[in-house]
């Protein structure tokens, strides 16, 4: 039962607290702008996911190998 409670807390926190779109207001246009047609909404969601993955792939090495290595993470 304790495990179930932990899973519920993780689910609720990921939906309401740690939701990237709602907490950062990034991607608000695709989140709200193309919700009338399902095909466009799916396409925009895939595009936003693709851009976020590319941005993460570009910035992770900078964070890991430059900022963290030289202890200058405050430049983030």
């Amino acid at each position: 039962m304790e495990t179930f409670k932990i899973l519920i807390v993780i689910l609720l926190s990921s939906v309401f607290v740690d939701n990237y779109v709602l907490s950062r207001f990034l991607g608000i246009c695709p989140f709200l702008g193309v919700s009338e047609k399902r095909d466009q909404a799916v396409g925009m969601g895939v595009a936003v996911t693709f851009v976020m993955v590319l941005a993460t792939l570009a910035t992770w090495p900078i964070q890991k190998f430059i900022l963290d290595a030289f202890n200058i993470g405050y430049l983030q």
Side-chain angles (χ1 to χ4, degrees), residues 36-66:
E36 292 178 10
K37 295 182 181 176
R38 183 171 292 198
D39 292 340
Q40 289 178 347
V42 169
M44 187 62 77
V46 169
V48 168
T49 302
F50 179 72
V51 169
M52 288 175 62
V53 167
L54 285 182
T56 301
L57 289 174
T59 58
W60 181 82
I62 295 169
Q63 177 73 35
K64 182 72 174 171
F65 298 118
I66 297 173

Side-chain angles (χ1 to χ4, degrees), residues 2-16:
E2 186 67 30
T3 305
F4 183 71
K5 288 181 184 179
I6 292 172
L7 290 175
I8 293 297
V9 168
I10 290 172
L11 177 69
L12 290 177
S13 68
S14 66
V15 170
F16 295 113

Side-chain angles (χ1 to χ4, degrees), residues 20-22 24-33 44 48 52:
Y20 198 78
V21 172
L22 296 177
R24 308 281 179 162
F25 292 107
L26 294 176
I28 199 74
C29 179
F31 185 65
L32 297 174
M44 187 62 77
V48 168
M52 288 175 62

